[in-house]
Amino acid sequence: MNSETGTSESTMTGPLAGLRVLDASTILAGPLCCQLLGDFGAEVIKIEHPQHGDSMRGHGESKNGIPLWWKEVSRNKRTLGLSLSTPEGAEVFRRLAATADVVVENFRPGTLERWGLGPDVLAELNPGLVLVRLTGFGQTGPYSARAGFGTLAEAMSGFAHLTGPADGPPTLPAFGLADSICGIAASSAVLMALRHRDATGEGQTVDLSILEPIMTAVGPSPTVYQQLGVIGQRHGNQSTNNAPRNTYLTKDGKWVAVSTSAQRIAERVMELVGHPEVITEPWFAAGSTRVEHAEELDGYVGSWIADRSREDVLAAFSDAGAAVAAVYDARDVVEDPHIRETEMLLEVPDPDLGSVLQHNVMFRLSKSPGRIRFTGRSLGADTADILHEIGYSDREVSSLRESDVIK
């Protein structure tokens, strides 16, 4: 029984119930991967340095010293303060790994090996173990030893080059985009590796860089360059595939986004804004040729929207069956009736904050739904319980704590 949450392993539900995951990773891809696994029933043990903790605890806003992002990204995780770089700590980790299904780590290549915790050691202890290794640039190659962060991947993937106004600098996102894409990809990789293990009994190592998933998300730019010699450029909010597509300012100072990816939607937009004559132009018949007239189309759409409030614009587009959305800030997201009614956000009980609004579990499964069992916890809250489960006595736990190996 978990003393702080009142939750026992036997009460865990979800499609991943019965799996044990060791989260030995830090900012942000690995912790997000493990959050998703925990949301769907896996027992996740969060392993942190006993003195410093995971740096995620210091990321983002806090309230009365309580880190708010931590409450979400470390939900459904028991916490263990453990120094892996000490012989005693490495031994604790080996004993834990022998009981686990998945280990997720993001140390620089060679670090686990230096501590006596490399893939060969762990596989000998636990042949069915899935070891997920998340790094900036992968375990091999000329950049493997470099420090890797999401910002670097956002730059090197082509994302920054393609983002921002045409006459402005490359633009980086204001949030952990590359890390988040990598974390979601890592959770998929875990399930594939577990599927293989279920079929063969074999564990394996997953080598995943932060760079590669966002390169995939950016799209086929390498293929286009290799085949045509074309390098994409920044176009602000316009698209190279269709028009009109942009953000537009309403009369009351709000922004809306319009998309016309489908031909019929483009026609409805131009009918709505009072310029049906362009629909019969030969160039209007395809997105690729409408793009050549993007400034003209933006002018028609922008001037119509500028004369109306956001509420009126959204209503008119809805009535016309055209595609539009308000550009939301955080308050708009929280207050949106569709987001709230469909529980994309959920109020979760929390011992420090009373309750905290969080993103709900990412997928809705009709037969085996996930759930938030508890929010992110204090450093080392479960250390003694976890060590007792793998055979450590009270005296041994006290000795490790006195030596600063655990918290």
Side-chain angles (χ1 to χ4, degrees), residues 113-135:
E113 288 83 349
R114 190 171 67 250
W115 293 338
L117 300 171
D120 55 337
V121 174
L122 298 183
E124 186 174 350
L125 289 169
N126 185 349
L129 183 69
V130 173
L131 173 61
V132 183
R133 313 195 77 176
L134 304 177
T135 54

Side-chain angles (χ1 to χ4, degrees), residues 75-98:
R75 70 192 187 195
N76 296 332
K77 300 179 185 180
R78 296 197 290 164
T79 68
L80 166 64
L82 178 65
S83 176
L84 300 182
S85 63
T86 64
E88 298 88 348
E91 175 58 22
V92 172
F93 187 84
R94 283 189 287 268
R95 289 172 66 170
L96 272 173

Side-chain angles (χ1 to χ4, degrees), residues 12-23 29-45 73 75-77 101-104 130 132 183-192 194 361-363 369-371 373:
M12 291 183 187
T13 60
L16 303 183
L19 291 177
R20 170 171 278 192
V21 178
L22 306 184
D23 178 4
L32 178 57
C33 168
C34 295
Q35 176 202 318
L36 297 176
L37 300 176
D39 284 350
F40 286 90
E43 178 206 358
V44 181
I45 297 175
V73 77
R75 70 192 187 195
N76 296 332
K77 300 179 185 180
D101 299 281
V102 180
V103 170
V104 179
V130 173
V132 183
I184 296 168
S187 68
S188 178
V190 166
L191 299 183
M192 293 180 193
L194 290 173
V361 296
M362 192 175 290
F363 321 111
R371 66 188 179 100
R373 299 188 302 277

Side-chain angles (χ1 to χ4, degrees), residues 249-331:
L249 189 62
T250 64
K251 185 177 182 179
D252 53 348
K254 306 290 187 179
W255 291 92
V256 297
V258 172
S259 175
T260 57
S261 296
Q263 180 66 24
R264 185 63 188 120
I265 297 296
E267 294 171 2
R268 290 172 184 169
V269 169
M270 300 318 299
E271 290 168 353
L272 173 64
V273 303
H275 289 277
E277 73 279 1
V278 300
I279 297 173
T280 60
E281 294 287 347
W283 52 262
F284 197 85
S288 58
T289 48
R290 290 201 306 273
V291 166
E292 298 170 4
H293 298 261
E295 297 299 330
E296 176 186 352
L297 296 175
D298 272 348
Y300 293 149
V301 175
S303 61
W304 186 89
I305 288 175
D307 288 338
R308 293 162 175 80
S309 69
R310 184 171 78 174
E311 182 178 352
D312 289 342
V313 169
L314 296 177
F317 267 72
S318 178
D319 291 343
V324 69
V327 176
Y328 278 177
D329 59 21
R331 176 167 52 193

